[in-house]
């Protein structure tokens, strides 16, 4: 069976929450529910590290503006994780060259990450924090549901992931004005912070 649908789905999910992908695949492989997961993802140290980072991601992703800083820091990490997971899955299955699998997983994760980061920038223009929590929770549940589906029905999961990816790109296009507004606010805050640091302090009255 071709592993391409599983690779595509794992790439999409990695762009949203790479640690959840590694953790879920590792747990499913370690418990013997699937033979598609390579042994390297089932190692105890990998599962512990993925679990800790998943908890960090879960907290940071629900705090306004902190989530966007977290996304910026993961612009390289998520696509790289998507490429590595895809290459490992291809190596385990043997039906697709690892380099090609890594390219599919990494590029899909990059697009998915950009959609996530752009959508979160738009959400951060709203004054209340609840939309961030709802958005993050929906993303976590979506990733978990699609990855679990991919283990048992990879083609169906890939179709859902593809629809969600296209819908996300369209959404980001419609939210472009709000994303630009967020970027202007962030640039203004940085400029204000730099101006405060450059302003000389009042030395106070001369000593007598």
């Amino acid at each position: 069976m071709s592993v391409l649908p599983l690779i595509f789905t794992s790439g999409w999910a990695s762009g949203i929450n790479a640690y959840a992908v590694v953790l879920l695949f590792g747990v499913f492989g370690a418990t013997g529910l699937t033979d598609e997961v390579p042994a390297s993802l089932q190692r105890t140290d990998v599962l512990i590290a993925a679990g800790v980072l998943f908890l960090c991601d879960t907290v940071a992703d629900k705090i306004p503006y902190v989530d966007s800083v977290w996304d910026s820091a993961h612009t390289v990490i998520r696509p790289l994780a998507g490429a590595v997971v895809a290459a490992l899955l291809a190596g385990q299955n043997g039906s697709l060259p690892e380099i090609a699998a890594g390219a599919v997983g990494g590029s899909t994760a990059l697009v998915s990450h950009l959609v996530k980061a752009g959508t979160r920038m738009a959400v951060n223009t709203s004054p209340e924090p609840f939309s961030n929590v709802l958005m993050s929770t929906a993303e976590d549940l979506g990733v978990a549901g699609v990855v679990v589906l991919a283990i048992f029905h990879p083609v169906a999961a890939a179709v859902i992931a593809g629809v969600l990816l296209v819908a996300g790109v369209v959404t980001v296009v419609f939210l472009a004005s709000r994303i630009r507004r967020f970027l202007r606010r962030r640039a203004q805050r940085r400029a204000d912070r730099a101006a405060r640091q450059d302003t000389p302090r009042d030395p106070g009255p001369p000593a007598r």
Side-chain angles (χ1 to χ4, degrees):
M1 181 181 67
S2 174
V3 75
L4 184 58
L6 186 60
I7 286 173
F8 178 81
T9 303
S10 68
W12 170 82
S14 295
I16 299 174
N17 194 328
Y19 308 124
V21 173
V22 174
L23 183 60
L24 287 171
F25 275 136
V27 169
F28 273 96
T31 54
L33 293 176
T34 178
D35 297 328
E36 298 290 340
V37 179
S40 55
L41 293 180
Q42 303 177 36
R43 290 170 40 183
T44 302
D45 56 338
V46 172
L47 292 176
I48 292 175
V52 171
L53 291 171
F54 170 73
L55 292 177
C56 294
D57 188 284
T58 299
V59 174
D61 200 47
K62 292 175 175 58
I63 303 174
Y65 292 98
V66 173
D67 56 355
S68 289
V69 174
W70 185 262
D71 285 339
S72 297
H74 283 74
T75 301
V76 175
I77 296 174
R78 286 170 183 159
L80 181 60
V84 171
V85 170
L88 290 174
L89 291 173
Q92 176 78 4
N93 183 274
S95 64
L96 185 70
E98 295 179 25
I99 295 179
V104 172
S107 59
T108 305
L110 177 60
V111 177
S112 178
H113 165 75
L114 293 176
V115 168
K116 171 187 170 68
T119 304
R120 195 55 60 85
M121 289 180 188
V123 170
N124 277 329
T125 60
S126 62
E128 43 75 30
F130 304 107
S131 54
N132 297 75
V133 176
L134 293 175
M135 180 69 69
S136 178
T137 302
E139 290 170 350
D140 292 341
L141 293 176
V143 166
V146 173
V147 169
V148 171
L149 180 63
I151 295 295
F152 303 103
H153 303 285
V155 175
V159 171
I160 294 174
V163 171
L164 291 174
L165 186 62
V166 173
V169 172
V170 173
T171 300
V172 168
V173 172
F174 278 106
L175 294 175
S177 60
R178 298 188 67 173
I179 294 173
R180 287 193 294 268
R181 190 188 316 161
F182 171 85
L183 293 174
R184 286 195 298 268
R185 287 182 182 178
R186 187 167 65 178
Q188 185 61 48
R189 284 197 300 270
R190 289 178 178 175
D192 294 342
R193 191 181 304 116
R196 286 195 299 269
Q197 292 175 349
D198 293 339
T199 300
R201 295 182 179 180
D202 184 359
R208 295 183 179 179

